[in-house]
Amino acid sequence: ISKKTLYQYFNTKAELVESIMLNHLNSEKDMCCNLVNEVENAIDQLHEIFKFNMQMMRSINPSTIFELRKYYPSVWKHFDQHKNQVIYHSVLENLKLGQKQGLYRTDLDPEIISRLYTGRMELIVDGETFPTTKFSFLQIMKELFIYHIRGIASEKGIKHLETSQSYFE
């Protein structure tokens, strides 16, 4: 598509970037909802979302995230809203489900854990904390997944995780 044709639909590059971001976030929301509806086990739900995120992140250059944050802060706000609403709510529901299924500890506070989970997302994309020259996104996500599950899982959940370690093979 030529620039001329593109600018018939978008007045500025920022509008184009915003449209792409909103489309991506809506697609991600729909995909996660579908995954959650297809999988009953709370830990397996998180694993499916992990796999989806890994596929998505493989196609994104790490500098893209930096550039979005720096040059398009109004567009980045959509990601923050998505994180603080959609992802927060999804994690909260997953925690409640896992507690009901006996896979997660009943003594944890789902609201606090959901906020911790969404808050640490900033660390994942922080190039200073996790330089791409030293850590792959796959490494970070794998450790984060195991760290998260082991922190919230009951004995039953830990057993399920240990029998499902093929998640990462």
Side-chain angles (χ1 to χ4, degrees), residues 28 69 76 79-92 95 110-125 144 148:
E28 183 178 300
R69 290 169 97 175
W76 189 256
F79 173 75
D80 279 336
Q81 289 172 337
H82 177 78
K83 176 186 72 170
N84 293 325
Q85 295 169 7
V86 175
I87 295 174
Y88 168 80
H89 178 73
S90 296
V91 172
L92 183 65
L95 288 166
E111 188 172 337
I112 291 173
I113 300 301
S114 298
R115 289 175 190 270
L116 287 170
Y117 187 93
T118 54
R120 73 178 182 203
M121 291 178 73
E122 291 294 319
L123 283 174
I124 295 170
V125 297
L144 193 55
H148 178 68

Side-chain angles (χ1 to χ4, degrees), residues 5-22:
T5 303
L6 192 60
Y7 284 111
Q8 287 178 351
Y9 300 98
F10 301 98
N11 293 322
T12 64
K13 188 175 179 181
E15 277 186 28
L16 172 62
V17 171
E18 181 176 32
S19 179
I20 292 168
M21 175 64 100
L22 290 172

Side-chain angles (χ1 to χ4, degrees), residues 78-148:
H78 291 296
F79 173 75
D80 279 336
Q81 289 172 337
H82 177 78
K83 176 186 72 170
N84 293 325
Q85 295 169 7
V86 175
I87 295 174
Y88 168 80
H89 178 73
S90 296
V91 172
L92 183 65
E93 292 305 310
N94 179 268
L95 288 166
K96 290 177 180 178
L97 175 65
Q99 284 180 318
K100 196 161 97 174
Q101 293 175 337
L103 296 168
Y104 299 159
R105 296 183 358 249
T106 55
D107 64 335
L108 61 81
D109 184 322
E111 188 172 337
I112 291 173
I113 300 301
S114 298
R115 289 175 190 270
L116 287 170
Y117 187 93
T118 54
R120 73 178 182 203
M121 291 178 73
E122 291 294 319
L123 283 174
I124 295 170
V125 297
D126 181 9
E128 289 183 33
T129 305
F130 295 108
T132 55
T133 55
K134 189 170 182 178
F135 304 99
S136 74
F137 190 73
L138 179 60
Q139 276 180 292
I140 296 166
M141 290 301 292
K142 177 182 174 186
E143 291 299 327
L144 193 55
F145 178 80
I146 293 170
Y147 177 83
H148 178 68

